[in-house]
Amino acid sequence: MAEFAQSDTASAQLGILYVVATPIGNIEDISTRAIRLLKEVDLIFAEDTRHSQRLMHHYAIDTQMMSLHEHNEVARIEQIAGLLQQGKHIALISDAGTPLISDPGFKLVREIRKQGFRISPIPGPSAIITALSVAGLATDSFSFWGFLPAKSSGRKQVFSDLSQNRETLVFYESSHRILDCLKDLSEIMGGRELVIARELTKTFETILSGTAAILINILEQDLDQQKGEFVLMVTGADDKPTEMDSDTQMLMAALLEELPPNKAAKIAAQVSGLKKKVLYQWALEQKEK
């Protein structure tokens, strides 16, 4: 097994932890190297052994599996370190895609690396990269923010905090929150171009693009479009002007007759493209005059 060869004699008897990517949907999306390694390692730690059994059966992989998920990950660290110390080679897989990317494994990998064991990645599918490759949005710079908060207030805060970021923003979202998520996004980021990728590589794969308002309408009209697993991608902020023109000043003056400065600045920012803090500062200056 040349794959298991160590780079120095001091660690020649230690096992290797392989972090192995598995399909995100279509069962054929797995490398020949990943299949071979899953057959050759001494033990596989899977997020859900019942879920992964289908993959094992399909490729005639009969390696013993044990569970490693968010509830037992810390408890498994000592066990896995002991096995590696004995020279056992171990694979870590998640339910779908690349382990540790919004999946368990971070605590394990961090501690195993601290203890000096070799960790080797076996690359393959990732929903983030798969979605970006077909979105038609800028990919020279993007940031991934995982799953959004479950509550509307938390989602709005995240969107507000990221509203000035110029890179493409990428999130995961669940089927039962996607519609409310789009409504929150529409309120905070207005008419940004979005792309939602649903059920990637699966039978009902769908890629939809448009503003949040357009996508909300599509999902409300077709309830099937609210099912499955979602990658949500949002265009980054454009360069915003920093000077107020006369039209924006007139808009702010009208809004300030009915609203407090903070609310007036928020609304005017959505209309004018100016940063909210610029408008808010202008409002405060007007009150001092």
Side-chain angles (χ1 to χ4, degrees):
M1 297 182 183
E3 187 80 41
F4 298 152
Q6 296 283 357
S7 58
D8 59 81
T9 56
S11 59
Q13 302 304 314
L14 300 180
I16 303 170
L17 174 62
Y18 291 95
V19 179
V20 183
T22 56
I24 60 176
N26 192 309
I27 203 167
E28 296 178 0
D29 292 336
I30 185 170
S31 71
T32 54
R33 183 185 178 206
I35 295 169
R36 176 175 57 78
L37 269 169
L38 291 174
K39 290 180 177 181
E40 292 178 353
V41 294
D42 297 291
L43 191 61
I44 298 170
F45 280 87
E47 185 177 359
D48 185 334
T49 56
R50 294 167 301 178
H51 177 91
S52 297
Q53 191 58 51
R54 175 173 173 263
L55 178 70
M56 303 303 151
H57 178 75
H58 185 85
Y59 288 105
I61 299 168
D62 58 9
T63 307
Q64 180 185 355
M65 283 195 295
M66 297 184 70
S67 66
L68 187 146
H69 46 72
E70 61 179 331
H71 302 297
N72 72 353
E73 181 178 354
V74 174
R76 289 292 196 201
I77 293 174
E78 184 177 352
Q79 177 187 12
I80 292 173
L83 291 168
L84 294 172
Q85 189 68 46
Q86 296 170 27
K88 302 295 184 182
H89 300 297
I90 294 172
L92 173 68
I93 63 174
S94 61
D95 285 349
T98 302
L100 278 74
I101 310 302
S102 287
D103 281 328
F106 162 68
K107 295 174 183 177
L108 170 67
V109 168
R110 178 178 60 180
E111 183 58 32
I112 291 300
R113 183 169 296 285
K114 283 182 180 179
Q115 293 187 30
F117 294 104
R118 179 182 166 193
I119 304 173
S120 182
I122 310 301
S126 169
I128 307 162
I129 303 303
T130 303
L132 282 168
S133 72
V134 295
L137 302 181
T139 56
D140 57 332
S141 178
F142 64 88
S143 57
F144 172 61
W145 298 91
F147 283 96
L148 287 156
K151 295 183 178 180
S152 176
S153 58
R155 288 193 297 270
K156 289 179 181 178
Q157 185 61 57
V158 170
F159 291 146
S160 180
D161 291 344
L162 299 177
S163 62
Q164 303 305 315
N165 288 35
R166 296 184 59 189
E167 75 277 10
T168 299
L169 306 174
V170 186
F171 308 93
Y172 285 161
E173 190 52 282
S174 63
S175 57
H176 59 282
R177 291 200 294 263
I178 185 63
L179 189 59
D180 289 337
C181 171
L182 291 174
K183 291 177 180 178
D184 291 337
L185 183 58
S186 179
E187 180 178 334
I188 302 300
M189 294 193 185
R192 296 271 188 99
E193 182 185 1
L194 318 177
V195 177
I196 52 175
R198 182 179 76 94
E199 292 291 85
L200 286 168
T201 78
K202 300 177 184 177
T203 303
F204 299 105
E205 173 184 276
T206 309
I207 314 294
L208 299 174
S209 60
T211 64
I214 291 173
L215 296 182
I216 289 168
N217 182 63
I218 293 173
L219 267 60
E220 288 180 334
Q221 295 297 317
D222 184 357
L223 297 182
D224 286 339
Q225 294 300 326
Q226 297 183 36
K227 299 176 182 179
E229 300 174 330
F230 293 83
V231 180
L232 168 63
M233 295 158 283
V234 185
T235 52
D238 293 328
D239 287 329
K240 292 182 177 292
T242 58
E243 299 293 333
M244 291 179 62
D245 58 24
S246 59
D247 288 340
T248 304
Q249 291 181 15
M250 291 175 62
L251 172 62
M252 276 295 294
L255 290 170
L256 288 170
E257 292 181 3
E258 305 291 337
L259 300 170
N262 186 57
K263 185 67 173 179
K266 180 179 179 180
I267 294 173
Q270 294 176 348
V271 175
S272 67
L274 277 164
K275 292 183 177 180
K276 177 182 173 182
K277 64 181 182 181
V278 172
L279 296 160
Y280 181 70
Q281 184 60 40
W282 183 88
L284 295 180
E285 292 171 356
Q286 302 310 300
K287 290 184 69 174
E288 294 174 357
K289 291 181 179 179

